[in-house]
């Protein structure tokens, strides 16, 4: 009887060690990409538009390395002035393509009222690049 109990205990112990050693602890998840502000060098688009008409502006910006991709356009404040900034997404891996080209994205603007508006994008840490548009 002791022999059967000892064998059963050893089998259970062996099986539990086997299952525990086959877990997925060895899988390493890649770190999430990081997002960083990119500085805008140029805004091109129409100077006039109509109420409720969507206007498109080509926004050129520079990134730190060639692996960066457009992430989104976000609001930013410099001092007490509000504007927009382009955020670029950088992969967590080391980038071997170090010479970046200026990148472009399209910003859409639409106004429900008449007036003169300023579209401001972050040009540096202290200033905006401004595009004026008159909505008639």
């Amino acid at each position: 009887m002791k022999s059967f109990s000892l064998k059963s205990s050893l089998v259970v112990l062996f099986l539990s060690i086997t299952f525990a050693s086959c877990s997925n602890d060895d899988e390493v998840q890649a770190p999430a990409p990081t997002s960083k502000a990119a500085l805008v060098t140029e805004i091109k688009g129409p100077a006039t538009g109509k109420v409720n008409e969507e206007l498109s502006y080509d926004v050129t910006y520079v990134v730190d390395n060639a692996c960066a991709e457009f992430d989104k356009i976000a609001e930013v404040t410099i001092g007490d002035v509000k504007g927009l900034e382009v955020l670029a997404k950088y992969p967590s891996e080391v980038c071997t393509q170090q010479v970046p080209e200026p990148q472009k994205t399209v910003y859409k603007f639409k106004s429900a009222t008449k007036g003169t508006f300023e579209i401001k994008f972050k040009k540096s840490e202290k200033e905006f690049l401004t595009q004026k548009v008159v909505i008639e």
Side-chain angles (χ1 to χ4, degrees):
M1 191 71 153
K2 284 185 179 181
S3 171
F4 179 72
S5 176
L6 182 61
K7 287 181 183 177
S8 297
S9 298
L10 289 175
V11 168
V12 170
L13 180 64
F14 175 74
L15 290 175
S16 61
I17 290 172
T18 303
F19 287 125
S21 67
C22 293
S23 68
N24 289 337
D25 292 341
D26 295 339
E27 290 183 25
V28 176
Q29 290 187 358
T34 58
S35 191
K36 182 179 171 188
L39 303 178
V40 172
T41 59
E42 184 179 38
I43 306 169
K44 283 186 180 179
T48 61
K50 296 184 180 186
V51 173
N52 291 324
E53 175 186 32
E54 188 173 80
L55 304 174
S56 295
Y57 293 89
D58 291 328
V59 179
T60 304
Y61 59 97
V62 292
V63 291
D64 292 344
N65 63 46
C67 296
E69 297 176 352
F70 173 78
D71 188 13
K72 63 183 175 182
I73 294 175
E75 291 184 4
V76 66
T77 303
I78 298 176
D80 59 348
V81 180
K82 290 185 179 184
L84 302 168
E85 72 180 345
V86 174
L87 295 175
K89 185 173 24 177
Y90 294 88
S92 58
E93 302 88 31
V94 174
C95 180
T96 58
Q97 306 169 10
Q98 294 299 320
V99 182
E101 298 271 334
Q103 296 187 8
K104 291 186 179 190
T105 190
V106 176
Y107 175 69
K108 305 280 186 177
F109 178 80
K110 185 177 184 180
S111 176
T113 60
K114 292 181 179 184
T116 301
F117 299 90
E118 291 184 339
I119 301 170
K120 298 178 182 184
F121 275 92
K122 189 175 177 181
K123 176 181 177 181
S124 70
E125 294 302 318
K126 297 181 179 181
E127 64 183 325
F128 288 108
L129 186 62
T130 303
Q131 170 76 41
K132 288 189 180 187
V133 59
V134 177
I135 302 297
E136 301 169 340

